[in-house]
Amino acid sequence: GAGVSQSPRYKVAKRGQDVALRCDPISGHVSLFWYQQALGQGPEFLTYFQNEAQLDKSGLPSDRFFAERPEGSVSTLKIQRTQQEDSAVYLCASSLAVWSGDEQYFGPGTRLTVT
Amino acid sequence: EDKVVQSPLSLVVHEGDTVTLNCSYEVTNFRSLLWYKQEKKAPTFLFMLTSSGIEKKSGRLSSILDKKELFSILNITATQTGDSAVYLCAVSTGTASKLTFGTGTRLQVTL
């Protein structure tokens, strides 16, 4: 596709449910990032993949958060036993390569509401 | 801990005004500074700055970086209502180029 796509665009989960958020990066992009954006705040880094390797997961807020990119393309962010504080927009971004520059292209995000 | 601070937090101007948005940072392993525009969806890329003192320009928008004083400004001249958005400043750090964002400046341009 032409840009980064994410699905679903909106997700409402009851507290305690598990959710899975999908990101389709721009074709051929090596690097993939997940960010969490709370209302009125800037995005905060969660995790980073270079191809299928998860090289940095320092931003994941707890062990309930798990991300994967098994074939180096599509990525899934999974949140287990959701809590109200997980409510946020989850943004995915991709960039062409690690060394060729830092311009990241963002998807539209998934707005997660935990009730 | 890496930190990016933007000011003002919000701004209301009349169409045709010129605005200056500020971004200061305190990070380790600086690679570049980026500006994004966010309306009700994905942040869209505006500029990436790596060198001090070199102005980047795109239409009515321009930006410059000062690596000695650790700040950047984004200027918008002859503002239009379509410029209304949140403007995010981010700094890229480390080998993975992860972005640390400020909280953004919310700009509203009125008629």
Side-chain angles (χ1 to χ4, degrees):
Chain A
V4 179
S5 60
Q6 293 186 245
S7 61
R9 293 292 312 279
Y10 303 92
K11 176 72 180 174
V12 178
K14 286 192 179 7
R15 193 161 58 99
Q17 281 185 331
D18 297 349
V19 298
L21 314 179
R22 178 188 167 104
C23 171
D24 273 277
I26 294 172
S27 178
H29 277 199
V30 167
S31 297
L32 185 146
F33 301 80
W34 283 98
Y35 295 87
Q36 179 190 59
Q37 187 172 24
L39 194 62
Q41 301 295 315
E44 289 196 2
F45 170 80
L46 293 176
T47 187
Y48 161 66
F49 290 87
Q50 184 181 333
N51 296 306
E52 69 278 3
Q54 189 176 21
L55 298 186
D56 188 340
K57 53 182 181 179
S58 61
L60 295 177
S62 77
D63 58 9
R64 295 186 296 104
F65 287 71
F66 171 76
E68 60 183 4
R69 193 185 185 199
E71 295 175 3
S73 177
V74 169
S75 177
T76 304
L77 177 67
K78 296 179 180 176
I79 310 174
Q80 297 176 322
R81 304 181 304 281
T82 51
Q83 303 294 315
Q84 282 196 311
E85 63 263 28
D86 300 335
S87 295
V89 175
Y90 291 85
L91 293 166
C92 174
S94 69
S95 66
L96 183 58
V98 176
W99 304 111
S100 68
D102 301 310
E103 184 179 333
Q104 295 181 19
Y105 297 87
F106 283 82
T110 294
R111 182 178 296 279
L112 172 66
T113 304
V114 181
T115 60
Chain B
E1 186 183 328
D2 294 342
K3 194 163 60 168
V4 177
V5 178
Q6 292 186 245
S7 64
L9 291 182
S10 67
L11 194 53
V12 181
V13 302
H14 292 296
E15 202 172 43
D17 287 352
T18 293
V19 298
T20 298
L21 309 183
N22 303 293
C23 175
S24 64
Y25 62 92
E26 197 176 311
V27 301
T28 52
N29 296 319
F30 175 91
R31 283 176 65 112
S32 59
L33 185 143
L34 298 92
W35 286 95
Y36 286 86
K37 177 182 182 182
Q38 187 174 31
E39 295 167 272
K40 289 185 180 175
K41 42 186 171 63
T44 52
F45 173 80
L46 295 175
F47 296 111
M48 182 172 74
L49 304 150
T50 53
S51 301
S52 265
I54 298 173
E55 185 183 54
K56 292 232 174 162
K57 205 167 163 60
S58 175
R60 296 177 294 103
L61 276 67
S62 63
S63 183
I64 198 160
L65 172 67
D66 185 328
K67 287 169 75 173
K68 185 179 172 194
E69 300 297 330
L70 308 182
F71 78 90
S72 173
I73 59 172
L74 174 69
N75 279 321
I76 310 175
T77 59
T79 51
Q80 301 170 357
T81 55
D83 295 327
S84 296
V86 173
Y87 289 83
L88 293 166
C89 172
V91 175
S92 169
T93 59
T95 54
S97 302
K98 80 179 194 190
L99 297 180
T100 300
F101 283 87
T103 53
T105 293
R106 181 174 296 278
L107 174 65
Q108 184 179 351
V109 181
T110 62
L111 290 171

